[in-house]
Amino acid sequence: MAYSDKVIDHYENPRNVGGFDKGDADVGTGMVGAPACGDVMKLQIKVNPATGLIEDARFKTYGCGSAIASSSLVTEWVKGKTLDQALEIKNTNIAEELALPPVKIHCSILAEDAIKAAVSDYKAKHGDVAAQAGSTQAA
Ligand code: FES
């Protein structure tokens, strides 16, 4: 199966690979897995407490090229966004941007789930009880 140029670009030059200290109060961590293939994605956001904006993001993905490209792409997309704006990122946006074929849609769902889990984790750390329930589900 052929990957699109954008997938190959992100796969060969992944943006924002790495991680932040999980214990940092400004950091939200999302860790999700795809039951279909066993791939795992860790995505972290760093929020500026003064502005409430996501100022940085990192990922580590053990998975296929599309999963790596999806996570690389969303780390770019979330920067400069509020938490609520980050939650608006849909897997369909990712799949469209990367021109993912139908069998690779679940890879983009993984990236959407990872962002949601990272935002929930951040909110839970800051006393959002509803988010806490959400992050327990995600974990
Ligand atoms: Fe499972 Fe891509 S094949 S995340």
Side-chain angles (χ1 to χ4, degrees):
M1 185 197 51
Y3 281 119
S4 72
D5 289 348
K6 278 184 183 159
V7 170
I8 292 168
D9 176 37
H10 278 278
Y11 180 71
E12 290 184 343
N13 309 292
R15 328 295 199 263
N16 310 309
V17 174
F20 302 123
D21 175 8
K22 232 179 143 204
D24 186 334
D26 298 338
V27 169
T29 302
M31 179 93 147
V32 293
C37 60
D39 290 351
V40 177
M41 187 179 287
K42 184 174 101 176
L43 203 145
Q44 293 183 299
I45 53 171
K46 193 170 195 141
V47 179
N48 181 330
T51 61
L53 299 177
I54 298 169
E55 61 182 15
D56 211 349
R58 292 278 186 278
F59 80 93
K60 269 188 193 159
T61 294
Y62 302 92
C64 71
S66 299
I68 290 169
S70 298
S71 39
S72 171
L73 179 68
V74 294
T75 56
E76 291 203 308
W77 277 359
V78 295
K79 282 191 203 177
K81 285 188 160 57
T82 65
L83 295 172
D84 287 342
Q85 286 167 343
L87 290 176
E88 283 169 17
I89 295 173
K90 294 275 171 285
N91 84 284
T92 45
N93 308 136
I94 300 164
E96 199 173 311
E97 173 72 15
L98 295 174
L100 297 181
V103 294
K104 290 289 173 181
I105 296 301
H106 80 269
C107 320
S108 63
I109 294 175
L110 203 55
E112 180 188 327
D113 287 350
I115 281 290
K116 291 206 159 85
V119 170
S120 293
D121 180 58
Y122 177 84
K123 285 186 173 175
K125 272 186 186 171
H126 293 264
D128 186 325
V129 178
Q132 228 148 5
S135 78
T136 312
Q137 271 170 12

